[in-house]
Amino acid sequence: MDETTLDLRDIIKTLKKKRKLIIGTFLLFVSLAVVVSFLIPPTYEAETAIRVKQPKGLASSLLSDLPTGNPMGTKQLMSTYAEIIKSRTVVQEVIDKTQADKNEIPTYENMLKRITTQPVKDTEILNVKIQAGSPEEAQLVANTLIEVFLGRMTALVRGEQSTVKEFIGQRLKDSKAELEQAEAILQKYKEEQKVVDPSQESKALLDKVAGIDKLAAENRVALAASQAKLASTRQQLGSQHQGVVADNALIQQYKAKLTELEIELVSLSANYTDQHPQVVAIQAAIKETKAMLAAEIGRVVNAEAPSINPIYQGLLQSQIQAQAEIAVAGAQKQAIDQIIQEGSQEVAKLPAKEQGLIKVARDANVAQEIYIMLAKRYEEARISEVMEPTDVQIIDKAIAPENPIKPKKVLNVVIAAILGLFVGTGIAFFTEYINKTIRTAEDVKQYLDLPVIGSIPDFDSDTSSHNTSWVTRATELFKTKTGHKA
Amino acid sequence: MAQKRQLIVHEDAKSPIAEAYRTMRTNIQFAKVDSDLRVIMFTSAGPGEGKSTTTANTAVAMAQAGKKVIIVDCDLRKPVQHKIFGKRNRGVTNILVEDRSVADLIQETGIDNLQMLPSGPIPPNPSELLGSAKMRDIIDCLKGLADIVIIDAPPTVAVTDACVLAASVDGILLVLGAGEIRPEMAQKAKELLLKANGHILGVILNKVEIEEEHAYYYYYYGNEKKTK
């Protein structure tokens, strides 16, 4: 076989010769696209926008917040909320609420296909789009979805907070009893020993230990709060996902550092007030370490259990945080106990009567301190429980869309037209290639090596159609073509 | 696309197609320089390439040039020449089988200088008849009666008839339907004819598609001549 050369003239010739085929394919594609576009039932899309804020405030006050404005945090939070929106509980409820009157109630998977969530770049806005057969339905489903989602978020937060509230409430009751008892003892002691006020010396000593007593009280409350949190997350997690342990070297390091800092804070507090620069510095360091610990835990949970439902991921994260807090608080308690021990030795040097007074006075002080703090926490938890979660806000409610988004008639037809031209041309060249025939004097020379004595023009093309327009010619050829097929 | 069997060279002598035949006529005259070209056989590779029409028109064109031409229909399987010229079908087979004389069966066509010998009734054994010594005698006899003898033979690849005649003629013209014939078929036809000691003068490309600009030129020229 000789090398086949592609000549522009040959190409044009082929195109001319096969124009009926190309035009036919083109028209077929276009008409098919038009028919299909009109047959496909239209789909409408309603859009809502919600704002997802970084969590702040009471709900997560147990541990210091992550540094706010962290874009990674926002992104992660957006995906978490997007997943919650698409979760089975939420979507199923939407189906129950909006699709109950349908002949064919869609399944969760089918409904999921109609929901699109899309974060708007560089903002805290999450767009939620719903597709449906009618504008009204799209609007209804979109608004119901957001409603159900917000309800679900509230329930999730409240569930957590109510466990915490209950736990702290129990402690508060105990603490109140203890406080009453301690005050009664103090009163009784004062009456029995006939002392109204401690001596000057005792008073100084009492003031000195008051700081450390306050720290001890804080420590106990923190411990209680962490335990409450742990209990709450454990309860919600159930027995599932116990396998994940976010306990790597870095977390251990942060834990150790946090413990160290807390103990240092305790020993400083024994001698200095809260305003002392060294105390302030340590407190800042503690805050920073806590944030880093929280970030690291979040990272590890994400890495080790990425497939788990984001709600569970969040719970898991709080659980591990609570565990870390309990460990730190435990270490802190030991340090405080030691300082209190030292304080008691000083107290032992005072007269017996004074000693007794200081002891009962301190008990009463500590009990009061604890009670106040617990009461504060309890109040916080109570407010959080009834509060609407403010970290999700509805920016735009869905409105009924005017025009369907699918089928895109013009686009379909344009695509079909282009495709038709391509396919038609492709088929033209392909058939031309397959049906290789002798056509010209060059072909004769190439295949037969014989001279061409004469070239007789085609009778039919000659007699009929040279002076007619190509349109009539095309239709004529079309007719003969279909006639052949019939 | 029913084939309109027409003698366009005769009926519309000014048409571009007639012009194409006349050009071809000249080419044939110069196709064989070294020896006499008296007996020319027309054949094709396969059926339906327009062989018989081309043959008849070429014969007419030659007759118009003043040569005495006899056209012989040797397609004993599917003869059509008598239909083209509108004559009785008595001819070659009658001579071969019934011992009739050649001169008796030659018919005038109504065109100056052109006579014809139709195929006659379709025989059961065309290849044998065409290969007989008597067939060669007929050709020799016809040579004596005219300047040029034109033979219409059946397609080459389908049946052997053309190959049987190949050695008895001075030159062979292979009619190929442009855009219809596959190269392999044409090559096969050439091979068969050469094997049978035939001398192929060349190819006639039939049904050539005229590109529009050329067609316009043709027509313009033709019409202008007509109006004069």
Side-chain angles (χ1 to χ4, degrees), chain A residues 13 16-17 19 434-441 444 447-463 466-467 473, chain B residues 6 8 17 20-21 24 27-28 173 176 178-179 181-183 186-187 190 200-212 215 219:
Chain A
K13 218 189 263 177
K16 261 186 185 170
K17 190 177 154 200
R19 67 191 153 217
I434 290 292
N435 296 322
K436 185 74 196 157
T437 57
I438 291 181
R439 199 166 288 135
T440 61
V444 175
Y447 292 111
L448 299 175
D449 194 22
L450 288 172
V452 174
I453 299 290
S455 285
I456 312 300
D458 195 354
F459 271 49
D460 295 317
S461 74
D462 175 77
T463 45
H466 266 291
N467 291 331
R473 240 170 119 181
Chain B
Q6 49 181 335
I8 190 152
I17 291 178
Y21 278 107
M24 184 167 76
N27 288 345
I28 293 171
L173 283 169
L176 298 178
I181 180 79
R182 301 179 65 78
Q187 279 163 346
K190 179 193 172 188
I200 304 175
L201 297 171
V203 169
I204 298 172
L205 267 183
N206 194 24
K207 307 183 201 173
V208 174
E209 267 188 64
I210 325 159
E211 284 170 44
E212 272 172 46
Y219 261 83

Side-chain angles (χ1 to χ4, degrees), chain A residues 62 158-175 220-235 322 326 374-375 377-379 381-382 385:
Chain A
L62 294 175
R158 278 186 192 167
E160 199 179 316
Q161 291 305 324
S162 73
T163 317
V164 171
K165 189 198 80 176
E166 225 169 85
F167 195 92
I168 292 177
Q170 195 58 44
R171 286 294 161 92
L172 186 65
K173 219 188 262 172
D174 297 347
S175 162
R220 271 156 83 176
V221 172
L223 198 60
S226 297
Q227 277 163 350
K229 195 162 139 190
L230 184 62
S232 162
T233 51
R234 275 221 174 114
Q235 189 191 335
I326 289 169
L374 276 176
R377 287 275 162 108
Y378 182 74
E379 234 9 73
R382 218 168 57 88
E385 192 196 17

Side-chain angles (χ1 to χ4, degrees), chain A residues 205-379:
Chain A
L205 194 60
L206 207 55
D207 280 348
K208 196 180 167 190
V209 292
I212 199 77
D213 281 344
K214 194 179 169 200
L215 216 56
E218 266 173 13
N219 173 253
R220 271 156 83 176
V221 172
L223 198 60
S226 297
Q227 277 163 350
K229 195 162 139 190
L230 184 62
S232 162
T233 51
R234 275 221 174 114
Q235 189 191 335
Q236 288 188 59
L237 275 170
S239 53
Q240 286 175 291
H241 311 305
Q242 289 287 334
V244 183
V245 181
D247 212 16
N248 68 1
L250 206 55
I251 289 179
Q252 290 290 3
Q253 224 174 321
Y254 282 136
K255 258 188 187 171
K257 193 177 170 199
L258 199 57
T259 310
E260 213 173 275
L261 287 168
E262 293 277 15
I263 290 169
E264 207 179 327
L265 179 67
V266 168
S267 55
L268 280 172
S269 298
N271 297 315
Y272 304 115
T273 59
D274 276 357
Q275 276 75 37
H276 193 277
Q278 245 178 304
V279 178
V280 173
I282 290 280
Q283 274 168 342
I286 287 172
K287 199 172 172 192
E288 194 188 333
T289 312
K290 274 182 177 175
M292 287 199 290
L293 177 64
E296 180 62 18
I297 287 170
R299 202 186 60 75
V300 169
V301 168
N302 263 336
E304 288 200 6
S307 60
I308 302 177
N309 184 325
I311 303 170
Y312 280 105
Q313 261 188 14
L315 287 171
L316 213 53
Q317 214 166 313
S318 350
Q319 187 186 12
I320 295 163
Q321 273 175 8
Q323 280 168 346
E325 281 163 25
I326 289 169
V328 172
Q332 197 186 15
K333 190 173 183 294
Q334 279 184 355
I336 291 168
D337 285 348
Q338 204 186 333
I339 290 171
I340 290 173
Q341 201 71 45
E342 282 163 18
S344 328
Q345 282 167 13
E346 272 186 65
V347 174
K349 290 173 192 155
L350 294 172
K353 206 174 172 184
E354 291 285 315
Q355 266 186 44
L357 181 62
I358 284 175
K359 190 176 174 298
V360 288
R362 271 180 63 194
D363 281 349
N365 270 353
V366 168
Q368 193 181 6
E369 206 66 62
I370 289 173
Y371 177 75
I372 289 167
M373 274 190 265
L374 276 176
K376 211 170 117 195
R377 287 275 162 108
Y378 182 74
E379 234 9 73

Side-chain angles (χ1 to χ4, degrees), chain B residues 154-224:
Chain B
T156 310
V157 178
V159 288
T160 70
D161 301 16
C163 297
V164 168
L165 288 170
S168 320
V169 299
D170 298 333
I172 301 167
L173 283 169
L174 190 58
V175 179
L176 298 178
E180 291 174 7
I181 180 79
R182 301 179 65 78
E184 309 88 72
M185 275 280 276
Q187 279 163 346
K188 175 96 179 171
K190 179 193 172 188
E191 210 175 284
L192 287 169
L193 290 171
L194 288 181
K195 232 184 241 172
N197 277 329
H199 175 78
I200 304 175
L201 297 171
V203 169
I204 298 172
L205 267 183
N206 194 24
K207 307 183 201 173
V208 174
E209 267 188 64
I210 325 159
E211 284 170 44
E212 272 172 46
E213 52 269 43
H214 285 213
Y216 180 75
Y217 169 74
Y218 269 123
Y219 261 83
Y220 186 78
Y221 188 68
N223 289 341
E224 203 175 45

